[in-house]
Amino acid sequence: MTTDRPESPTLVAVKRRGRLNCGVHQGLVGFAHTDNRGQWRGFDADFCRAMAAAILGDAEAVRFVPLSAPDRFAALDEGRIDVLGATHPGP
C-alpha cells in the first residue's frame, strides 16, 4: 500500500533503529510490571509489543522504559521514548 503522505520522523527513527522505545508505568500490575523473571507483563506492555509487531514485524523489538508520572511527558517530548504506553496516575 502506498500513500502520498511522508512517514513521521518518529516512525522513520523506529524503523531505522529496529526497536520501539516504549514508556511504561514503573510497575502497575495488570498494565505494566515485571514478573519474577524480569519480563514486562500487562496490557500496556502487550500494546507496545503489538505496535512493534505492526511496525517492525517483531513483537520483541521493544525497549521498555519505566517512567514516573512526572517524567513521562518530558521523556516523550525529549525523544527518549517513541510512544507512551499509558498515562496512569501514580509516582
Side-chain angles (χ1 to χ4, degrees):
M1 181 171 122
T2 61
T3 65
D4 293 335
R5 288 186 263 166
E7 290 185 333
S8 76
T10 301
L11 186 57
V12 170
V14 169
K15 288 180 176 180
R16 184 180 319 119
R17 184 184 323 116
R19 179 187 69 226
L20 179 70
N21 294 327
C22 190
V24 293
H25 192 280
Q26 292 175 315
L28 185 60
V29 174
F31 291 93
H33 68 281
T34 53
D35 64 15
N36 60 358
R37 294 183 180 172
Q39 298 296 311
W40 282 95
R41 303 286 179 219
F43 178 81
D44 296 336
D46 290 344
F47 192 73
C48 291
R49 287 187 185 96
M51 285 187 284
I55 296 166
L56 301 166
D58 181 0
E60 298 305 313
V62 179
R63 181 176 144 250
F64 294 99
V65 180
L67 297 165
S68 67
D71 294 334
R72 60 190 173 207
F73 291 111
L76 188 60
D77 188 49
E78 294 165 4
R80 291 185 281 142
I81 58 173
D82 303 309
V83 65
L84 184 56
T87 59
H88 303 289

